Amino acid sequence: MTDLILVNAQVTTLDRENPQADAIAVRDGKFLAVGTEAEVRAACGPDATVINAARRRVVPGLIDSHMHIIRGGLNYNMELRWDGVPTLADAMAMLKRQVDNTPAPQWVRVVGGFTEHQFAEKRLPTIAELNAVAPDTPVFILHLYDRALLNGAAMRVVGYTKDTPNPPGGEIVRDAAGNPTGLLLAHPNATILYSTLAKGPKLPAEYQINSTRHFMREMNGLGVTGVIDAGGGYQNYPDDYAIIEKLHADDQLTLRISYNLFTQKPKEELADFSGWVKQVTPGQGDDTYRHNGAGEMLVYSAADFEDFRVERPEMPENMESDLEPVVRLLAENRWPWRLHATYDETIDRALNVYEKVNRDIPLAGINWFFDHAETISDRNIDRIAALGGGIAIQHRMAYQGEYFVERYGNRAAERTPPIAKMLAAGIPVGAGTDATRVASYNPWVSMSWLVTGRTVGGLILYPGANRVSREKALRMWTHENTWFSNEVGKKGQIKAGQLADLAVLSGDYFSVAERDIPHLRSVLTMLGGKVVYGEGSYAPLAPTLPRPMPNWSPVATFGGYFREPEASAKMADACGCASGCQVHGHDHAAALGASVPASDAKTFWGALGCGCWAV
């Protein structure tokens, strides 16, 4: 294979011994040399391929430590994405256009990745509005893990009537006459939402392959090169892994995927894992596709829910007796595991089990961890540290923070999760999205949340002490996530000998205004030194991807995450700024409802080094 050289770059290596570089050389899928252009050229043969980065910022390929890429890929081409759409009016215009494109008996689906708080209108559409744009085409809209909106056509297709009973933990909302309105609520169990979605048409296998390739390409366009898949309901191993395994066999994966196995049936969890430990071992596979252990569901009785609109659910009395034999089995077989746990009360009870097992089978070195942990206590952080575990956090609060504040108050929200305490305890802390249903898969939204402490609706949740620097956020999205897949030192840095995964960014992550961090993308992404994504002048370097299938796919019309290149200009026009502040962009104290202890706000903020907030 010909050597490849990237020159004229601003390289952030995240290698403390060599933090910055101008050029990179790649050979046989790994970084060969990182340094000055002269050093890099000297390490390569005379026939090396040279790519000019045009002084753009280059970072290691991003790694999402918690996502549902395998399940999401099967459905991506069928879903209209409202991720990042700024107004409900825009969202409804997209919906109307997709309704017009969608043939019977197909549905139009908006499945997560957005919140009503991102819209300027601060609300969801009404059922009447859905019926107006789609009188005959079924429409299903999933909002976070709390509700689904179905128009009349969808309600007819799924067959919910006056006589349909509410499922356990869910509600079919009804009018005064007892007829279903089209609103489904998780109270707090989201099964009603997912089981209703599962009634819709599915893509045939050929289309699912195409769909997964388009989803991976979308992730590549955001600079993502690695994902740890957290399993999911209706994702049984090995049956539901056929598509991803075919793509792997055909060398068509453009992401490195480590997958966890998620138990599928209540009361049969131990049987699931007892069978799986005989079929596959952690690490089995290669650098592109490999097994990673158990979870995020280990037993159903330990599954709390993350709908902050409802009260915290109490775990049943049998949680510990169900969980212990599974954890014991995993520990005996040295299987890493992850456990979904939103609330400290759930974590506390799980740790009681882990400590009991640890007395017989030391857990050190297994790399087990909790996912989410929004309300974890300092005491339980210390217990995790003592047992050698970790915590994978996701930006779910960026989408649900307003609901948490509504229920628990601003003070309680300041440490949801307590990132600073986790880091101070010295435990591994990784970052991810939990995409695609509760939050968007966009890593830059997550990094913005980590750095600014804001929701996508603009609410400031965290004080400065519970935020991280831009560099730390990037580390949490790269090499610090490799602990969670047992690949430390193999990837996540731009360093000689590591896998050559990188992203050339559309803007400089370290100098753009905070407001612009979510709008960053990659213009060139490499996996193992091969270009897997390119746009603009780099587009010809990337492999051609077949058009989305079917031809009416929302992806063919809208793509994925909402892109609005004029966003900053529109912001400036709206507020009257000649230019945005380099820190705050076009955010303003008035817009945030801030008050200042001075009659002249401009003088006050200017004294602090920033006059933009006074506009």
Side-chain angles (χ1 to χ4, degrees), residues 83-87 90 94 118 442 515-516 518-521 558 560-571 573:
D83 303 39
V85 176
T87 73
D90 289 330
M94 293 168 67
Q118 78 192 38
N442 188 333
R515 145 147 253 129
D516 292 329
H519 302 297
L520 291 171
R521 294 183 55 84
F558 302 105
Y561 195 90
F562 184 77
R563 298 183 68 174
E564 187 178 32
E566 311 81 19
S568 293
K570 285 188 176 180
M571 208 81 64
D573 289 343

Side-chain angles (χ1 to χ4, degrees), residues 82-159:
W82 280 354
D83 303 39
V85 176
T87 73
L88 179 60
D90 289 330
M92 292 300 289
M94 293 168 67
L95 183 68
K96 176 64 169 67
R97 186 174 175 190
Q98 187 56 43
V99 166
D100 293 342
N101 287 345
T102 303
Q106 299 295 333
W107 297 15
V108 176
R109 304 167 226 226
V110 180
V111 183
F114 79 100
T115 171
E116 63 180 324
H117 293 289
Q118 78 192 38
F119 296 143
E121 299 89 340
K122 301 295 181 184
R123 69 174 181 89
L124 293 174
T126 65
I127 304 294
E129 287 170 332
L130 297 183
N131 286 330
V133 300
D136 303 311
T137 302
V139 171
F140 177 100
I141 297 175
L142 177 70
H143 181 255
L144 306 175
Y145 284 137
D146 63 35
R147 64 194 55 216
L149 306 176
L150 282 71
N151 68 343
M155 291 298 286
R156 291 191 292 272
V157 169
V158 300

Side-chain angles (χ1 to χ4, degrees), residues 7-12 20-22 53-59 508:
V7 299
N8 195 20
Q10 297 185 75
V11 184
T12 297
Q20 301 290 334
D22 303 312
R55 299 305 299 159
R56 286 188 169 91
R57 179 66 59 183
V58 179
V59 298
D508 189 345

Side-chain angles (χ1 to χ4, degrees), residues 383-461:
R383 293 170 74 192
I384 292 171
L387 289 172
I391 302 175
I393 62 172
Q394 299 77 38
H395 67 319
R396 305 190 311 177
M397 286 294 289
Y399 292 82
Q400 301 186 84
E402 287 84 356
Y403 302 134
F404 190 96
V405 168
E406 204 173 280
R407 177 168 290 276
Y408 299 106
N410 290 286
R411 189 65 182 270
E414 289 182 354
R415 42 173 293 143
T416 54
I419 300 170
K421 291 288 187 181
M422 296 173 183
L423 296 174
I427 63 177
V429 181
T433 62
D434 199 9
T436 55
R437 293 177 174 176
V438 67
S440 177
Y441 49 72
N442 188 333
W444 302 104
V445 177
S446 170
M447 277 187 267
S448 173
W449 167 74
L450 288 165
V451 169
T452 70
R454 293 184 187 214
T455 70
V456 296
L459 177 67
I460 298 177
L461 292 174

Side-chain angles (χ1 to χ4, degrees), residues 510-556:
F510 291 101
S511 63
V512 298
E514 287 182 349
R515 145 147 253 129
D516 292 329
I517 293 174
H519 302 297
L520 291 171
R521 294 183 55 84
S522 176
V523 296
L524 176 73
T525 305
M526 292 184 188
L527 185 79
K530 295 180 181 178
V531 176
V532 292
Y533 179 82
E535 62 179 57
S537 61
Y538 301 112
L541 302 178
T544 302
L545 194 64
R547 281 186 55 79
M549 301 165 63
N551 59 10
W552 52 265
S553 168
V555 175

